[in-house]
Amino acid sequence: MLFETLKLYPSWDIEKTAIPQRSRLYHLEPIGIGTPYVESLTGYVQRIAHEHCVTVRRLTITEIAPLMGKEAKLLDESISKVFGTGRDRTAFNGTGLMATNLVGAMSALTGRLDLRYLTLLPWAQVISKRGLLRRHRAWCPKCYQQWHDNHTSVYEPLLWSINTAQVCPYHHQPLQEQCPYCHQRQLTISGDSRTGHCNKCGKWLGNNRYKTVVTSQIKSEAERNRQLNVANNLGELVAVTPTLNYPPNFQKLSNTISTYILQVLKSSIPAFSRQSGMNKATIGLWCKGKVIPQIDNLLVLTHYLEISLLDFLTTDVLLADSKNTCLEPELNVVKQPRKSYKHLDLERKQVLNVVLIEVLKEYPAPRANASKVLLITDRIKTQRKISYFWLDLFSKA
């Protein structure tokens, strides 16, 4: 009789596998984080809608609105109650509360924790939101066409939404703000937005075979170089955002401005205002930490100081005796000696009073023009001499 040998097989693990939490929408990775051409938050919303084969309007009303405290039943198929008017929608890529709310909603829907880098939120303490973002959509047709021809994702870079960025840093041509077909400007994001297409007529904006509508002329090579330098400075700023260990502080920025003016340049605030052409009161408010500088003023300031915008906002100025650098403008101004005025004695005052009374008796009254003033002055001098003559005569008698 043959004995069968028993084999020991590995036991089964009947415990349930832990399934990671699923996101409501696709865990779509943003484009270009850590580069000058990082994607904008409004552009990311458009790509999410395209990946789910729905319009931005439908995505906003059914998914985004409830997370932003809006009831979908009350929206009546309009996203204006969620995104606001055209002027308000530019703020979604900026530094304020609207950008914070949209980042929170999209992070909850996609499970992404890096969506704040698609905005300028990390720079909220050192860059004013006033004049920061353009009110209308802007784009580079050559970038659109290049991405389309290379079969890569077409998207909306954050750099295009910044107001002071006027040229494409790669193709060196002005950014467009009007559709070449319907000649209309477009909102930053709308219910019918499609990346690379006109929000009004739906035409493709990347085909550069049409006659380009140039909205901003670059008249000289120097102006072109200046605008390219601005675009490069802004590109460096958005590229370094994910690597910041802590957000820049406004108090530190105000100390930096004071240190550069008063110690590096060895100048006073009024003198620096005259040299740079910037407003003296504005510079003083920066130094005192009362006003956050606007992006265009920061670019003018850094251009004058010959330092990049990124270094100016992030680099420590290590100088001796840097405490209390924000001095009052008058402390560094050489005070001019006051002019000394000769006071009239009582006798001269009486004579001058008699002359002025005689002048006031004239009819019609003398007009206050230059010739009349000179005439009255000569008359006063003449009558003063006559008065002094009679005074001397009576004193000798």
Side-chain angles (χ1 to χ4, degrees), residues 241-256:
T241 301
T243 62
L244 292 175
N245 297 325
Y246 52 89
N249 183 270
F250 175 54
Q251 186 60 42
K252 176 182 174 183
L253 175 62
S254 64
N255 293 335
T256 300

Side-chain angles (χ1 to χ4, degrees), residues 199-305:
N199 297 345
K200 303 291 185 179
C201 63
K203 299 286 188 176
W204 169 246
L205 299 175
N207 189 354
N208 51 13
R209 287 176 292 187
Y210 54 74
K211 183 178 179 180
T212 304
V213 178
V214 179
T215 57
S216 59
Q217 289 281 49
I218 302 179
K219 298 181 180 180
S220 64
E221 189 67 23
E223 177 65 16
R224 181 186 298 273
N225 293 334
R226 187 192 68 82
Q227 293 188 8
L228 285 175
N229 182 62
V230 168
N232 291 330
N233 271 276
L234 296 174
E236 291 180 359
L237 202 69
V238 298
V240 80
T241 301
T243 62
L244 292 175
N245 297 325
Y246 52 89
N249 183 270
F250 175 54
Q251 186 60 42
K252 176 182 174 183
L253 175 62
S254 64
N255 293 335
T256 300
I257 296 175
S258 303
T259 303
Y260 268 104
I261 295 175
L262 303 178
Q263 295 189 20
V264 176
L265 298 179
K266 303 296 182 181
S267 178
S268 64
I269 292 179
F272 177 76
S273 174
R274 290 190 297 269
Q275 295 168 4
S276 62
M278 304 182 69
N279 186 272
K280 178 179 68 174
T282 302
I283 300 174
L285 292 175
W286 294 346
C287 293
K288 294 177 183 178
K290 294 184 178 181
V291 174
I292 301 178
Q294 293 181 216
I295 186 66
D296 53 346
N297 289 330
L298 282 174
L299 290 168
V300 172
L301 179 61
T302 54
H303 177 73
Y304 180 84
L305 297 175

Side-chain angles (χ1 to χ4, degrees), residues 39-231:
E39 186 174 18
S40 66
L41 182 61
T42 53
Y44 183 77
V45 173
Q46 296 176 43
R47 285 208 306 129
I48 283 286
H50 177 72
E51 293 294 329
H52 285 271
C53 300
V54 296
T55 62
V56 174
R57 178 180 292 104
R58 177 56 52 193
L59 176 68
T60 302
I61 293 175
T62 59
E63 302 294 338
I64 299 177
L67 295 179
M68 296 182 68
K70 309 289 184 178
E71 295 185 13
K73 296 180 181 180
L74 303 178
L75 294 180
D76 193 23
E77 299 298 322
S78 175
I79 68 172
S80 297
K81 297 180 181 179
V82 183
F83 285 168
T85 60
R87 180 180 300 179
D88 297 333
R89 296 179 191 183
T90 60
F92 285 116
N93 296 322
T95 60
L97 182 61
M98 295 182 67
T100 302
N101 291 339
L102 186 57
V103 166
M106 294 303 298
S107 297
L109 291 171
T110 61
R112 305 277 328 175
L113 302 178
D114 50 3
L115 298 185
R116 68 190 312 266
Y117 302 137
L118 309 186
T119 68
L120 296 171
L121 280 173
W123 305 97
Q125 295 188 33
V126 292
I127 299 179
S128 173
K129 61 183 179 181
R130 184 177 180 182
L132 178 59
L133 302 172
R134 51 169 39 99
R135 296 184 177 182
H136 300 94
R137 179 187 179 193
W139 66 91
C140 173
K142 291 188 177 180
C143 286
Y144 278 156
Q145 193 63 41
Q146 181 178 346
W147 293 331
H148 179 270
D149 295 341
N150 295 337
H151 303 286
T152 58
S153 297
V154 179
Y155 68 101
E156 307 276 340
L158 176 62
L159 184 65
W160 293 353
S161 64
I162 303 178
N163 193 29
T164 49
Q166 299 294 328
V167 298
C168 172
Y170 296 104
H171 298 103
H172 298 185
Q173 75 168 25
L175 298 178
Q176 305 300 305
E177 291 186 348
Q178 285 185 337
C179 174
Y181 300 101
C182 63
H183 306 288
Q184 296 188 54
R185 290 186 172 184
Q186 306 163 46
L187 300 177
T188 305
I189 186 171
S190 64
D192 299 321
S193 291
R194 290 177 57 199
T195 305
H197 295 78
C198 176
N199 297 345
K200 303 291 185 179
C201 63
K203 299 286 188 176
W204 169 246
L205 299 175
N207 189 354
N208 51 13
R209 287 176 292 187
Y210 54 74
K211 183 178 179 180
T212 304
V213 178
V214 179
T215 57
S216 59
Q217 289 281 49
I218 302 179
K219 298 181 180 180
S220 64
E221 189 67 23
E223 177 65 16
R224 181 186 298 273
N225 293 334
R226 187 192 68 82
Q227 293 188 8
L228 285 175
N229 182 62
V230 168

